Amino acid sequence: MTVSDQDLALAAASGDGHAFEALLARHYDRLFALCFRFTGHRTDAEDLCQDICAVLPARLESYRGQAKVTTWLYRVAHNAAIDRRRRASSYARALDGWGDWETGRQAAMAEDQANVAWLHTAMGQLSETLRDTLALVLDDLTQAEVGEIMGVSEGTIAWRVSEAKKRLREIREKEEAT
């Protein structure tokens, strides 16, 4: 004797795991085919079907036996497909612009790294005094603090920074000319 879908659904709603298993075995292929038609892709259909199977025990609690089980199950599947599309759409909207921002951020980081590498190399061409002064200033120390550290006046530090910038510009211009 075959148990009806309605009896299996009501038993599964009451917590009968065997009834749930039998109901799912009976309708899984049709459910998967429907999910495939909703998504158009096998992997998406598998994911959607898995999502439905995961929430189905909780959803069965709302089954009252007033509709055919297949009609009710298809309604659950349709709602799950709509929810999945909404989440994907929200995710896509949230990501909109993120890729451009990330690309810009990566480009800015690469440019910063290139500038730091160039500055490091170019500073090697400066005299030790100018290089040391610039290194301290670039470490966010004030000219007064650098002067104190190096044992010279703040005015001397200002001149050294100006001279270092002038020499760095000359190095850059020479590189660009070649």
Side-chain angles (χ1 to χ4, degrees):
M1 179 172 166
T2 304
V3 180
S4 72
D5 287 346
Q6 186 175 6
D7 289 339
L8 284 174
L10 291 171
S14 299
D16 184 340
H18 294 294
F20 178 76
E21 185 179 337
L23 184 65
L24 198 54
R26 190 178 287 179
H27 294 286
Y28 186 83
D29 290 339
R30 288 173 45 183
L31 179 63
F32 179 80
L34 178 65
C35 290
F36 184 80
R37 287 190 300 275
F38 282 150
T39 63
H41 299 286
R42 181 177 180 80
T43 55
D44 292 339
E46 289 169 349
D47 290 345
L48 179 58
C49 218
Q50 184 178 14
D51 291 349
I52 293 166
C53 290
V55 300
L56 203 53
R59 295 281 194 268
L60 274 168
E61 293 175 2
S62 69
Y63 179 70
R64 301 288 174 244
Q66 297 168 339
K68 286 177 44 178
V69 170
T70 52
T71 303
W72 176 84
L73 183 60
Y74 279 16
R75 178 71 178 180
V76 169
H78 182 245
N79 289 338
I82 290 170
D83 289 345
R84 190 179 243 308
R85 285 185 209 124
R86 283 184 188 145
R87 282 192 309 272
S89 176
S90 295
Y91 183 74
R93 279 194 309 273
L95 287 180
D96 190 32
W98 178 262
D100 293 339
W101 177 83
E102 179 62 15
T103 300
R105 188 181 77 82
Q106 292 290 333
M109 284 175 36
E111 185 178 343
D112 288 348
Q113 289 173 343
N115 288 337
V116 167
W118 177 86
L119 182 60
H120 180 72
T121 302
M123 283 175 63
Q125 298 176 42
L126 299 175
S127 69
E128 288 181 6
T129 304
L130 291 181
R131 184 175 52 240
D132 293 349
T133 302
L134 197 55
L136 289 166
V137 169
L138 291 174
D139 204 28
D140 288 333
L141 296 173
T142 66
Q143 290 181 359
E145 293 169 328
V146 173
E148 187 177 326
I149 291 167
M150 297 186 84
V152 296
S153 71
E154 185 176 346
T156 300
I157 297 301
W159 178 85
R160 287 180 183 175
V161 169
S162 177
E163 189 65 22
K165 287 180 181 180
K166 180 177 135 188
R167 300 258 171 91
L168 290 173
R169 268 192 304 276
E170 290 170 359
I171 292 169
R172 173 76 75 179
E173 288 170 0
K174 185 177 177 183
E175 287 177 0
E176 288 175 354
T178 57

